[in-house]
Amino acid sequence: MPRGVRVLVVDDEAAEREGLATLLDSWGYDTSVAADGREALERIQTGNPRVVISDLRMPHLDGMELLKQVRQEHSAVAFIMLTGQGTIDEAVAATKLGAYTFLEKPLDPNRLRVELENCLKQQDSERRLEIAHRRLRDAGILGNLVGQSKRMQEVLSLIAQVAPSSASVLITGESGTGKELAARTIHELSPRASKPFVAVNCAAIPETLMESEILGHEKGAFTGAMERRAGCFELADGGTLLLDEIGEMPIATQAKLLRVLEDSKVRRLGSKTEISVDVRVLAATNKIPEEALAKGQLRSDLYYRLNVVQIFMPPLREHLEDLPDLIAALLEDLNRKHGRRVKWVEDEVLDMFRNYSWPGNVRELRNVLERAILVQPGDVLRRENIPKTFGLPPPSVDNGLTLRPGLTVAEAERRLILETLNFTRNNKTRAAEMLGISLKTLHNKLKEYESQPQN
Ligand SMILES: Nc1ncnc2c1ncn2[C@@H]1O[C@H](COP(=O)(O)OP(=O)(O)OP(=O)(O)O)[C@@H](O)[C@H]1O
Ligand SMILES: [Mg+2]
């Protein structure tokens, strides 16, 4: 990794300075030297090093003064302080002033090597974050997450803010609102970005295999365990684990999961040895956590452990002003995927989109655009490119809506109303719109149905 990375060594003792420079060169760094703080400042100006490794006591300008000036004028340059024995107070003061760390002389080369690599990793991550913040400020975009609306900008800032730490984050929101994308973005903007991002979909794994998915297993641990297999914590070691659809995890497994989170250790099924893991855990759910808690689908102790920060991804119908930006970003991606060159949608399409409630959120928008660009070789999507079924519930959803002769008008109306509410996920405003009745009429009908329940 260090190949060509510029490091400046500052020390008034020629032998120490040259010795350290030779060592760093041998590791592949591009090293330059300075004999005191004043010379160091000149070298920083001309040589633009990424890291300064400086002695504390030096004539002219000492290490502490140098550190102060570097922090002020070259804040992107990292600083490692070398200290003699008995200068621990100054060393601590140095880290308070923003030095990455301090190392005691005589230097332990292994320690130096590791600290330097970690320092560069942190610097990389800070740079990525800085670039991401700028892009968020200038273009309103964070990673692949798009949204200029106030709602989305709040979400994106929160994501940028929590990304660098290792805090657990619970990401909530309806299906298709970008929860997984948010989790990936958190990972990519964290110092763990170069390590794995592992996503486990708790809804897709059979209950009997859930534990082994999390903890891993040894060969023969249970019938069907033909091979030793690492669990997702081991796979994500050093990186980030997304527990997707956490509300679907069996309650017994939740208890085991909690133990792993508390101890940072896993023991594979059928194994006696514990393995230490360093994993940042993110969890996502499209359930309302408080409801899942109340229904006993989510253990409260696990919930509190995961819910250090909660990020709620708003439904698309609540930030429709982001449609143009979302369409632009999704089209760009879909064009690349399908080798198309659709640049925009005509006004009529945009209007139609603005008047829709998007129960499937951004994923549904993406699907609609994807189907449309496949039939449009040109560069503008037109009304006629949008499938006729747009906005209609998928066939499987209208099972409650079988109309046959002999049904009373009142009963047909009742079924239509209830099914529409089902489709809009109980969004009454939207349902009333779709039904072409006022919200008040809808409420009245619902009251009527309540008072005369049907079997
Ligand atoms: N703000 C956004 N900007 C750009 N693309 C987005 C945004 N939100 C969602 N998407 C896209 O929408 C699709 C669905 O997102 P994602 O899979 O993250 O949703 P989800 O909330 O995890 O859904 P589910 O609950 O169904 O798993 C993806 O293709 C994603 O790239
Ligand atoms: Mg998801």
Side-chain angles (χ1 to χ4, degrees):
M1 180 178 80
R3 199 134 299 279
V5 171
R6 285 194 288 268
V7 177
L8 176 66
V9 173
V10 193
D11 199 321
D12 54 330
E13 297 266 351
E16 300 226 356
R17 184 169 75 222
E18 296 307 329
L20 183 51
T22 309
L23 183 66
L24 292 168
D25 278 336
S26 77
W27 291 339
Y29 290 98
D30 177 357
T31 320
S32 52
V33 292
D36 59 54
R38 251 185 346 214
E39 195 187 336
L41 284 174
E42 279 164 32
R43 292 256 179 281
I44 293 171
Q45 201 75 271
T46 51
N48 194 22
R50 276 186 59 181
V51 187
V52 172
I53 304 178
S54 173
D55 191 18
L56 182 59
R57 300 231 199 284
M58 293 179 298
H60 305 305
L61 193 77
D62 72 4
M64 210 60 107
E65 253 335 286
L66 175 63
L67 169 61
K68 282 186 198 154
Q69 297 208 20
V70 168
R71 299 271 29 93
Q72 266 170 26
E73 287 153 40
H74 309 275
S75 58
V77 177
F79 203 103
I80 294 177
M81 190 73 90
L82 305 181
T83 61
Q85 276 149 356
T87 49
I88 197 79
D89 289 347
E90 282 160 289
V92 172
T95 48
K96 285 211 179 110
L97 280 175
Y100 173 73
T101 189
F102 61 88
L103 295 172
E104 254 183 330
K105 285 178 169 185
L107 275 176
D108 168 1
N110 287 330
R111 176 89 198 284
L112 172 66
R113 195 169 186 165
V114 171
E115 291 285 5
L116 198 47
E117 280 171 10
N118 288 342
C119 170
L120 288 168
K121 241 183 263 170
Q122 181 177 313
Q123 200 180 38
D124 276 338
S125 145
E126 276 165 10
R127 284 183 186 190
R128 268 197 310 274
L129 200 63
E130 168 66 23
I131 293 168
H133 270 292
R134 278 191 201 180
R135 192 151 165 259
L136 181 60
R137 192 190 58 208
D138 300 343
I141 297 171
L142 186 73
N144 290 318
L145 282 165
V146 178
Q148 297 262 20
S149 62
K150 193 160 170 284
R151 287 295 289 281
M152 279 306 285
Q153 285 296 304
E154 277 167 13
V155 170
L156 300 189
S157 310
L158 185 56
I159 290 175
Q161 206 183 316
V162 301
S165 76
S166 270
S168 287
V169 181
L170 179 63
I171 308 167
T172 59
E174 291 176 12
S175 176
T177 48
K179 295 185 295 295
E180 179 164 353
L181 194 55
R184 282 181 191 280
T185 308
I186 290 174
H187 172 71
E188 276 156 23
L189 293 178
S190 78
R192 298 169 177 267
S194 61
K195 293 288 170 61
F197 174 84
V198 178
V200 178
N201 186 342
C202 303
I205 297 165
E207 198 165 330
T208 47
L209 294 181
M210 196 70 224
E211 249 171 62
S212 125
E213 183 70 28
I214 294 199
L215 305 170
H217 63 249
E218 296 295 326
K219 188 174 171 179
F222 50 89
T223 338
M226 315 286 266
E227 302 276 305
R228 154 192 285 198
R229 197 161 170 269
C232 60
F233 273 91
E234 271 179 85
L235 293 176
D237 196 17
T240 308
L241 173 64
L242 169 63
L243 297 166
D244 208 350
E245 319 246 12
I246 186 78
E248 307 296 326
M249 182 181 279
I251 213 88
T253 319
Q254 290 184 20
K256 304 229 159 130
L257 171 65
L258 182 66
R259 207 165 318 137
V260 177
L261 295 177
E262 278 172 351
D263 304 346
S264 296
K265 280 186 189 124
V266 285
R267 194 167 64 213
R268 293 189 192 133
L269 300 181
S271 165
K272 289 202 174 61
T273 27
E274 290 197 313
I275 311 163
S276 292
V277 285
D278 164 28
V279 175
R280 180 191 203 171
V281 177
L282 308 177
T285 179
N286 54 21
K287 295 186 173 172
I288 297 167
E290 290 71 24
E291 283 179 12
L293 281 172
K295 286 186 191 147
Q297 295 162 334
L298 189 59
R299 282 181 65 112
S300 58
D301 44 10
L302 177 64
Y303 168 71
Y304 292 120
R305 180 66 187 68
L306 293 172
N307 192 34
V308 176
V309 180
Q310 190 174 131
I311 294 178
F312 173 68
M313 305 300 291
L316 180 52
R317 63 181 173 278
E318 289 176 14
H319 60 111
L320 287 170
E321 62 269 43
D322 286 329
L323 273 172
D325 291 325
L326 284 166
I327 292 170
L330 293 169
L331 282 178
E332 200 183 314
D333 192 40
L334 292 166
N335 280 328
R336 211 175 307 127
K337 179 173 167 198
H338 295 293
R340 298 281 158 150
R341 52 183 181 86
V342 176
K343 294 282 175 291
W344 195 230
V345 298
E346 66 175 2
D347 287 352
E348 235 183 293
V349 172
L350 193 56
D351 281 345
M352 187 165 79
F353 284 0
R354 282 203 174 108
N355 286 306
Y356 180 55
S357 71
W358 300 103
N361 296 297
V362 186
R363 177 178 301 111
E364 184 179 8
L365 174 63
R366 186 185 160 94
N367 290 344
V368 169
L369 292 173
E370 184 160 27
R371 265 175 282 150
I373 75 163
L374 292 175
V375 295
Q376 174 54 270
D379 54 9
V380 179
L381 279 189
R382 306 196 181 285
R383 179 88 163 84
E384 59 267 26
N385 303 133
I386 305 297
K388 293 275 174 298
T389 51
F390 172 72
L392 294 179
S396 64
V397 173
D398 67 13
N399 47 11
L401 204 56
T402 36
L403 300 181
R404 45 183 162 54
L407 207 64
T408 63
V409 171
E411 175 57 16
E413 183 185 80
R414 180 178 173 274
R415 289 190 189 180
L416 179 65
I417 287 177
L418 294 182
E419 199 47 46
T420 308
L421 272 172
N422 188 18
F423 173 65
T424 63
R425 297 179 174 216
N426 221 27
N427 179 335
K428 298 200 177 79
T429 311
R430 173 71 190 140
E433 256 168 47
M434 284 175 82
L435 290 161
I437 58 177
S438 71
L439 190 58
K440 191 155 178 279
T441 309
L442 179 62
H443 276 293
N444 288 341
K445 295 272 175 202
L446 290 174
K447 238 186 240 149
E448 206 177 288
Y449 301 154
E450 262 170 44
S451 60
Q452 2 166 308
Q454 292 270 315
N455 38 16

